[in-house]
């Protein structure tokens, strides 16, 4: 009987020890889930900066653009440095955003589209004990932002406003990320989570147009600065090692 009690006690202690270290220093975790990007967007008026190679500064009054929301599959991988501090790398399939006209350009509807890449590194502080089922956290980090597949898709806008075939490029940048969320553990390995992040993000879209004019085709360069400032939500399922 004593031997049986001793074995039972050792087994229970082992289970407790395993659970205690499920969210503690030295443990790894991965998550997969759904990102929703909600840009709080606005833009400066379109400004013509060059015509036929000659510098200009012509502002097209009451022109602007906003970005639509986007959704995509996300993945993260993290490591607990201490029982309360973890690092996490966040990445996913780049979402596609539609560029919508505003002001005098609102009549054209969708002007173009682009895909956003934003791999992110976070440093997160977890509250409550490592063995707690519910653990809220705060995080801060940095994201590398760039866009691909930028293009004008509205032929009427391109012909009547830009006056010719137009190529689009955008700036890349490093941006801060502010993050908060929580995890809820089902057992020592599996958990669910949700988070909200904010990125104070802006980019400059540069347009290069082969414009048809009375004197022939001229290269016209223009640009606009677009503030995105997205609020990003992430709902996920995770696994700890």
């Amino acid at each position: 009987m004593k031997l049986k009690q001793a074995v039972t006690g050792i087994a229970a202690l082992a289970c407790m020890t395993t659970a205690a270290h499920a969210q503690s220093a030295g443990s790894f975790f991965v998550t997969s889930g759904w990102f929703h990007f909600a840009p709080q967007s606005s833009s400066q008026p379109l400004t013509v900066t060059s015509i036929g190679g000659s510098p200009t500064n012509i502002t097209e009054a009451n022109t602007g653009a906003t970005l639509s929301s986007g959704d995509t599959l996300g993945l993260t991988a993290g490591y607990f440095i201490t029982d309360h501090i973890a690092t996490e790398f966040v990445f996913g399939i780049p979402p596609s955003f539609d560029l919508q006209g505003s002001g005098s350009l609102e009549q054209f509807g969708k002007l173009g589209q682009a895909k956003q890449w934003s791999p992110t590194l976070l440093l997160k502080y977890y509250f409550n004990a490592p063995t707690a089922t519910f653990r809220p956290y705060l995080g801060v980090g940095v994201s590398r932002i760039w866009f691909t597949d930028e293009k004008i898709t509205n032929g009427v806008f391109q012909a009547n406003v830009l006056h010719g075939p137009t190529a689009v490029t955008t700036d890349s940048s490093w941006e801060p990320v502010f993050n908060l969320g929580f995890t809820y553990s089902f057992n020592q390995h599996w958990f669910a989570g949700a988070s909200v992040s904010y990125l104070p993000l802006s980019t400059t879209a540069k347009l290069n147009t082969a414009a048809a004019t009375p004197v022939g085709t001229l290269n016209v360069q223009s640009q606009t600065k677009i503030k995105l400032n997205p609020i990003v939500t992430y709902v996920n399922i995770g696994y700890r090692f």
Side-chain angles (χ1 to χ4, degrees):
M1 180 62 70
K2 291 183 177 180
L3 178 60
K4 182 178 179 180
Q5 291 176 340
V7 172
T8 302
I10 292 172
L13 180 61
C15 290
M16 291 174 62
T17 302
T18 302
H21 288 281
Q23 303 181 70
S24 59
S27 61
F28 291 88
F29 63 90
V30 293
T31 74
S32 179
W34 201 251
F35 280 113
H36 177 71
F37 293 78
Q40 313 302 300
S41 58
S42 63
S43 74
Q44 295 178 354
L46 186 67
T47 300
V48 179
T49 58
S50 173
I51 299 177
S54 299
T56 62
N57 187 23
I58 304 171
T59 299
E60 303 287 348
N62 196 34
T63 57
T66 60
L67 266 72
S68 66
S69 60
D71 295 274
T72 192
L73 175 68
L75 300 168
T76 76
Y79 175 75
F80 275 89
I81 302 171
T82 72
D83 289 351
H84 295 279
I85 298 175
T87 60
E88 185 174 21
F89 181 63
V90 184
F91 54 100
I93 299 172
S96 181
F97 294 96
D98 293 336
L99 186 68
Q100 304 285 341
S102 62
S104 64
L105 303 182
E106 187 174 0
Q107 60 181 309
F108 297 102
K110 178 182 174 181
L111 307 180
Q113 63 187 42
K115 291 183 179 180
Q116 177 189 320
W117 299 75
S118 52
T120 300
L121 184 63
L122 292 172
L123 185 67
K124 301 163 68 173
Y125 182 87
Y126 284 77
F127 299 91
N128 296 340
T131 52
T133 300
F134 177 77
R135 298 195 74 184
Y137 59 80
L138 293 175
V140 66
V142 63
S143 182
R144 178 63 175 174
I145 311 288
W146 73 93
F147 295 85
T148 59
D149 298 336
E150 310 103 313
K151 56 187 175 183
I152 301 296
T153 58
N154 189 313
V156 176
F157 165 72
Q158 187 167 249
N160 294 344
V161 177
L162 301 177
H163 306 295
T166 300
V168 184
T169 59
T170 51
D171 292 337
S172 59
S173 62
W174 292 94
E175 303 293 346
V177 181
F178 305 97
N179 172 255
L180 63 88
F182 68 87
T183 60
Y184 183 89
S185 297
F186 301 116
N187 54 46
Q188 65 183 20
H189 293 298
W190 290 99
F191 64 94
S195 69
V196 178
S197 300
Y198 174 72
L199 290 77
L201 167 63
S202 63
T203 187
T204 299
K206 299 177 181 179
L207 288 70
N208 197 323
T209 303
T213 73
V215 295
T217 301
L218 294 178
N219 178 259
V220 177
Q221 296 179 354
S222 54
Q223 65 181 41
T224 180
K225 184 175 182 180
I226 303 173
K227 292 184 178 180
L228 285 77
N229 298 341
I231 296 173
V232 184
T233 55
Y234 181 49
V235 179
N236 60 82
I237 293 292
Y239 186 86
R240 297 187 189 90
F241 298 92

